[in-house]
Amino acid sequence: MDIRSKARTLPGPVSDPKELPKWNYDGSSTGQAPGEDSEVILYPQAIFKDPFRRGDNILVICDSYTPAGEPIPTNKRAPAAKVFSDPKVVEEVPWFGLEQEYTLLQKDVNWPLGWPVGGYPGPQGPYYCGTGAEKAYGRDIVNAHYKACIYAGINISGINAEVMPGQWEFQVGPAVGISAGDELWCARYILERITEIADVKLSFDPKPMQGDWNGAGCHTNYSTKSMREDGGYEVIKKAIEKLKLRHKEHIAAYGEGNERRLTGKHETADINTFSWGVANRGASVRVGRETEQRNKGYFEDRRPASNMDPYVVASMIAATTILWDPEK
């Protein structure tokens, strides 16, 4: 979740990442390379309009490589790109809708925004999608982020206040394949820049407050071409069965500290048990009532934590449901 950036001046406007030069940074300063061979190479991958500088300025999502052209170990985009370029995956046109939850904290005390320092607000109940000074904390930040993402060209599809006060959510998608990861990372970057301006700390911790408070996830909605066509519900059920068989592998890749969130309480399933159900928010995977009725649509993997890497999660779901054969 350590999002970093640097800026450079170009001779003129650019609209395609292929037109951009590669760049580099000092990997010894980020713990990604030794001091005697510290150069890490940046490959431009996706472009968004810059909501801070505006005009012809752009934000560029890059991934990182060694000078020899090998992805560095923390580059999760490169292996995801291989999955999403597989002909079987391309044919299925995988759609993702990512529900990013996050918590706003008072910077100097690491305590949720709006909470009395060292104390607690009233119990959960009135805060989810709430309105009013005693229920919604940080709406100016949330709305600024919403507008900035729309300006940037990110397919941000909504926002809402979450169950725990000081916690919010935005949704990205539907986005196809690896673009879901590019858009979510850019939206996260924009959010952290805005909280920086507001002097508020941004947390993607999956369980920022212990006790009877909801955690923070990044529910991942997913469908393929086959699932969206008539009779797709049967394809969905087969995909969910595959996810069940690889539950442990997925959990291991779904974010750090997720065991503090997936307790079986607060709209989660227990981390050690896979379950699915229609309209069940206490299950590992939820199928919407409309999907069941229409016999086609999408499903929601509710296991990913708020700090998950969307390149890892999206490509893993696609690989398991489209490429993996349990019989082999």
Side-chain angles (χ1 to χ4, degrees):
M1 299 308 298
D2 187 9
I3 306 171
R4 306 202 186 196
S5 65
K6 58 192 294 190
R8 73 181 295 174
T9 305
L10 301 169
V14 173
S15 58
D16 188 325
K18 294 186 180 69
E19 300 171 25
L20 290 164
K22 292 174 184 174
W23 205 13
N24 67 77
Y25 65 93
D26 173 16
S28 69
S29 295
T30 61
Q32 293 173 302
E36 64 272 12
D37 188 15
S38 65
E39 239 177 50
V40 177
I41 313 302
L42 290 167
Y43 286 30
Q45 300 290 3
I47 285 177
F48 300 91
K49 290 170 65 181
D50 186 342
F52 302 102
R53 293 189 175 99
R54 292 181 285 187
D56 288 329
N57 295 290
I58 54 176
L59 299 177
V60 183
I61 294 288
C62 302
D63 57 352
S64 301
Y65 295 79
T66 68
E70 293 295 319
I72 67 170
T74 52
N75 179 353
K76 305 303 181 186
R77 191 186 190 281
K82 288 183 179 178
V83 171
F84 286 118
S85 62
D86 186 290
K88 290 182 181 176
V89 177
V90 172
E91 185 182 356
E92 281 291 350
V93 197
W95 288 5
F96 295 91
L98 305 173
E99 303 175 27
Q100 177 67 71
E101 295 177 344
Y102 61 93
T103 309
L104 300 173
L105 303 176
Q106 302 168 58
K107 190 181 72 173
D108 296 328
V109 292
N110 273 350
W111 204 244
L113 200 66
W115 290 36
V117 176
Y120 296 88
Q124 294 182 157
Y127 310 107
Y128 175 66
C129 298
T131 305
E134 77 286 9
K135 302 187 200 80
Y137 311 122
R139 192 184 298 277
D140 284 351
I141 291 170
V142 175
N143 281 339
H145 175 248
Y146 198 2
K147 288 188 282 186
C149 285
I150 290 172
Y151 178 91
I154 293 167
N155 190 18
I156 185 167
S157 45
I159 57 168
N160 60 269
E162 263 307 325
V163 178
M164 188 181 87
Q167 199 171 78
W168 294 80
E169 176 186 299
F170 66 88
Q171 301 93 32
V172 166
V176 178
I178 203 162
S179 65
D182 293 336
E183 292 189 29
L184 187 67
W185 273 117
C186 190
R188 285 172 168 178
Y189 171 74
I190 291 171
L191 180 57
E192 190 151 27
R193 285 283 305 275
I194 289 171
T195 55
E196 174 190 319
I197 293 167
D199 206 31
V200 167
K201 185 175 176 181
L202 173 63
S203 172
F204 290 109
D205 190 287
K207 185 72 174 180
M209 300 303 292
Q210 295 306 306
D212 196 17
W213 305 101
N214 274 35
C218 193
H219 302 154
T220 300
N221 298 276
Y222 170 71
S223 71
T224 62
K225 184 170 176 284
S226 299
M227 294 174 190
R228 295 187 293 268
E229 291 174 345
D230 290 342
Y233 191 27
E234 289 304 313
V235 181
I236 287 173
K237 286 191 279 190
K238 289 176 183 175
I240 293 173
E241 188 59 32
K242 285 185 175 183
L243 290 175
K244 177 182 179 180
L245 295 174
R246 298 195 72 204
H247 178 63
K248 286 185 178 179
E249 292 89 336
H250 279 255
I251 286 293
Y254 274 15
E256 292 183 25
N258 210 10
E259 71 282 352
R260 292 183 281 115
R261 168 180 161 261
L262 295 180
T263 61
K265 300 178 181 177
H266 304 110
E267 301 179 74
T268 70
D270 179 78
I271 194 168
N272 298 309
T273 307
F274 182 90
S275 60
W276 76 276
V278 176
N280 183 359
R281 283 181 162 77
S284 308
V285 170
R286 179 185 68 88
V287 174
R289 187 69 66 192
E290 185 182 10
T291 294
E292 181 189 45
Q293 291 169 348
R294 296 177 63 207
N295 201 31
K296 61 181 178 180
Y298 70 96
F299 65 83
E300 174 191 45
D301 191 338
R302 297 180 59 80
R303 298 171 294 173
S306 50
N307 59 8
M308 65 82 148
D309 188 325
Y311 296 132
V312 173
V313 169
S315 62
M316 197 170 192
I317 291 174
T320 295
T321 60
I322 300 171
L323 300 177
W324 183 54
D325 184 351
E327 303 297 321
K328 292 183 179 179

